[in-house]
Amino acid sequence: MKGIKNDRLRQGGNEGRWFFAVLMIIAALFLSAPIVTAEKWGGVDELVVERIAADHGREASGPLIDTDQGDLLLFMFLIAGAVAGFAGGYYWRVLTTAGIMPTRKENG
């Protein structure tokens, strides 16, 4: 058995190629799905908010912060990431060395 396994390794084997090919086919199917079904699915606003507003006799209002204009949503994620990164960096020693740090000896 050991000799057969070593022979396959020397020959290169096609297992990795088949796995890669199947992986690429699955990825292509998943990535092409939004292109094919883009018109069938509506957003939460159309399907839920507007329907419930109509059921209660009201008109759906716009969002409080409209993130569809420009890169506002991207900017908000940037700020949130910067705040989280600063907090994580500031408390890094506390997060990673809890109970490990040696205590100081007093002179005297």
Side-chain angles (χ1 to χ4, degrees):
M1 286 289 183
K2 188 174 181 182
I4 294 172
K5 185 176 179 182
N6 288 338
D7 289 340
R8 284 187 188 167
L9 290 175
R10 277 190 225 122
Q11 292 173 358
N14 289 329
E15 293 89 7
R17 291 181 187 169
W18 280 105
F19 177 74
F20 183 72
V22 169
L23 186 67
M24 287 296 113
I25 290 171
I26 291 172
L29 290 174
F30 278 111
L31 292 175
S32 66
I35 296 170
V36 175
T37 61
E39 307 238 351
K40 294 181 183 178
W41 299 93
V44 174
D45 291 339
E46 296 99 21
L47 296 177
V48 178
V49 176
E50 289 178 2
R51 183 179 60 87
I52 291 175
D55 289 346
H56 292 284
R58 294 184 174 197
E59 184 177 320
S61 62
L64 182 62
I65 300 173
D66 191 12
T67 60
D68 290 338
Q69 298 174 355
D71 291 332
L72 182 60
L73 186 61
L74 180 62
F75 180 70
M76 290 172 64
F77 275 104
L78 173 74
I79 295 299
V83 169
F86 178 77
Y90 186 77
Y91 290 109
W92 181 254
R93 188 180 313 172
V94 175
L95 293 171
T96 59
T97 60
I100 299 174
M101 294 181 64
T103 58
R104 289 184 175 178
K105 294 183 182 181
E106 293 183 24
N107 294 334

